[in-house]
Amino acid sequence: MNGLRNTLEPDLGNASAGKASPPDNTFQEITMKKILIILFVIISLFPLYSNGVKDEGNVLTVYAYDSFAGDWGPGASLIPRFEEETGIKVNLVSAGDAREMISRVKMEGDRTEADVIMGVSDDSAYEAYELLEPYESPMIGNIPENLIFDPQHRLIPFDYGAFAFVFDSESGIRRPKSLSDLASEEYENKVILIDPRTSSVGLGLLLWSYSIFGDGDEFVSWWEAMKDNALTVADGWSSAYGLFTEGEAPIVLSYTTSPVYHVMNENTTRYEALVFPEGHEATIEGIGIVKGTDMREEAEKFVDFILSEGQVEIAVANSMYPASSAAELPDAFRYAPKPDKLFPSGQVSPEKTEELQALWLDIMTR
């Protein structure tokens, strides 16, 4: 500003002598022309700047679970492919686990940038329904009916797994044949369990045992036996599975798909998923369109992409089954047996879940 002011002000250098220099009209005209040219350029560029801001707003924002959005997750390759095929720019946001994602969208309210959320499991779905719009994707026809946990299709399954015990075939002990069999004394200190209060996998077993044994003495008796058979109760899946692969115990709570990782990355079939005839608890992950989005058409295209082209890559990265029956999986998935019977975890109410957690804690701390 001082430079501009000095340029426009008349030369007062001789004012102290009592005589001002006459203004240089030619100099002033040239200066004014420069200012007008600068103003013209700024005004001319303003619409371009405005359009640029608007175009930046035309980006599809996807809130996803951390492992999808991470550097080594399937999002790193799927998002660029989607952008190239559709011309739709995607802003992929790592939003934590299912509950963290839901809480974030609720907290943001009408100000949320999310157009799509993906990774909400069926046991958390009831918390997300109010945030989402139904979408009857043409890809739903490829998803088996027993995986559809929301008839309104606010959340559409894109992958699923089944909780199971994984067994070290080189341990030399007998393979348990059922949940009841696993409670036998011969498995004392041979099982690694996971806390249902701190882990979705641990919660999966709690709900699984409830689905098999129901309310009453059988449920309590099974957990009393498992308290003796548990070498430890880990806080989360990673620590539990790490102890298992280090040889601390020959049986660990995990997924039927866990052996796929070992086959594909370690070329070993040592670790086996045990499938029990009475059935297994399922965990199903869904994708949905956020209510009120102004990117509805783009959001639908993204959902359809995840339910078609994204299926195999997500299944391999997550060591889960693809929701679409049309997906062709690598041979390694032959070592991920599918149970004949699945219990969707979303069937147990939140109130009942809290009751079961309290009962579990009472049993394990007696």
Side-chain angles (χ1 to χ4, degrees):
M1 287 299 295
N2 289 336
L4 181 58
R5 186 183 302 115
N6 291 337
T7 301
L8 294 178
E9 285 176 352
D11 184 1
L12 301 179
N14 296 323
S16 59
K19 183 178 180 181
S21 301
D24 187 345
N25 292 333
T26 302
F27 177 76
Q28 288 185 347
E29 288 176 6
I30 293 173
T31 303
M32 289 303 297
K33 285 180 180 179
K34 288 182 179 179
I35 294 173
L36 290 173
I37 290 172
I38 292 171
L39 290 173
F40 176 79
V41 171
I42 293 173
I43 293 171
S44 299
L45 289 177
F46 184 78
L48 296 178
Y49 172 78
S50 299
N51 288 339
V53 172
K54 185 177 181 181
D55 288 342
E56 287 181 0
N58 287 335
V59 174
L60 184 73
T61 298
V62 177
Y63 284 8
Y65 55 97
D66 288 343
S67 60
F68 180 89
D71 292 339
W72 301 103
S77 58
L78 288 178
I79 297 301
R81 191 194 312 171
F82 173 77
E83 291 178 331
E84 183 178 353
E85 291 182 9
T86 64
I88 300 169
K89 193 71 177 173
V90 175
N91 173 32
L92 182 61
V93 177
S94 181
D97 62 21
R99 293 186 182 276
E100 289 172 329
M101 192 184 312
I102 293 167
S103 297
R104 177 171 176 171
V105 176
K106 283 184 176 180
M107 181 181 65
E108 293 171 344
D110 294 339
R111 298 178 292 103
T112 187
E113 296 180 358
D115 302 298
V116 174
I117 59 175
M118 64 178 299
V120 177
S121 53
D122 54 337
D123 60 335
S124 301
Y126 68 94
E127 298 182 47
Y129 287 149
E130 64 180 290
L131 307 172
L132 305 172
E133 298 178 352
Y135 173 45
E136 196 82 27
S137 170
M139 305 301 167
I140 290 176
N142 293 326
I143 301 175
E145 288 188 10
N146 66 332
L147 296 181
I148 303 291
F149 57 87
D150 176 23
Q152 296 184 42
H153 305 305
R154 291 160 296 185
L155 281 168
I156 306 174
F158 65 86
D159 73 357
Y160 73 102
F163 297 111
F165 286 93
V166 175
F167 175 77
D168 183 354
S169 65
E170 297 181 6
S171 64
I173 65 171
R174 182 180 67 86
R175 291 170 177 78
K177 298 179 180 179
S178 66
L179 280 185
S180 296
D181 191 17
L182 187 64
S184 302
E185 292 182 358
E186 65 184 287
Y187 298 112
E188 184 176 356
N189 292 326
K190 291 182 170 60
V191 183
I192 299 173
L193 298 179
I194 306 174
D195 195 324
R197 299 168 302 165
T198 57
S199 168
S200 60
V201 183
L203 180 59
L205 175 59
L206 184 66
L207 298 176
W208 181 12
S209 61
Y210 173 70
S211 296
I212 298 297
F213 302 117
D215 288 303
D217 294 341
E218 195 173 4
F219 175 90
V220 173
S221 298
W222 188 82
W223 275 106
E224 287 176 339
M226 290 305 298
K227 179 174 67 171
D228 294 332
N229 288 355
L231 175 70
T232 188
V233 179
D235 288 338
W237 177 86
S238 295
S239 57
Y241 209 79
L243 291 171
F244 169 70
T245 55
E246 289 168 5
E248 295 296 323
I251 302 173
V252 66
L253 175 62
S254 191
Y255 298 91
T256 55
T257 46
S258 293
V260 173
Y261 172 85
H262 299 288
V263 173
M264 296 190 71
N265 296 280
E266 300 171 354
N267 196 31
T268 180
T269 58
R270 173 179 177 175
Y271 305 110
E272 303 174 5
L274 302 175
V275 174
F276 299 152
E278 65 263 53
H280 288 247
E281 194 76 12
T283 179
I284 308 169
E285 293 185 308
I287 184 170
I289 298 174
V290 177
K291 188 179 294 183
T293 176
D294 56 1
M295 302 284 285
R296 173 73 190 210
E297 183 179 348
E298 293 84 353
E300 290 181 0
K301 289 181 180 179
F302 184 80
V303 171
D304 293 345
F305 176 83
I306 292 298
L307 298 179
S308 54
E309 295 184 48
Q311 286 290 276
V312 173
E313 195 160 341
I314 291 174
V316 171
N318 291 354
S319 289
M320 299 278 271
Y321 303 115
S324 173
S325 58
E328 297 183 8
L329 292 169
D331 289 341
F333 274 80
R334 291 188 292 112
Y335 297 94
K338 289 186 178 181
D340 292 330
K341 186 176 183 180
L342 292 175
F343 305 104
S345 58
Q347 291 183 342
V348 180
S349 70
E351 294 77 18
K352 186 62 181 179
T353 298
E354 290 182 7
E355 179 185 325
L356 292 172
Q357 287 176 320
L359 177 57
W360 176 87
L361 183 61
D362 179 60
I363 294 170
M364 302 300 280
T365 54
R366 286 174 188 170

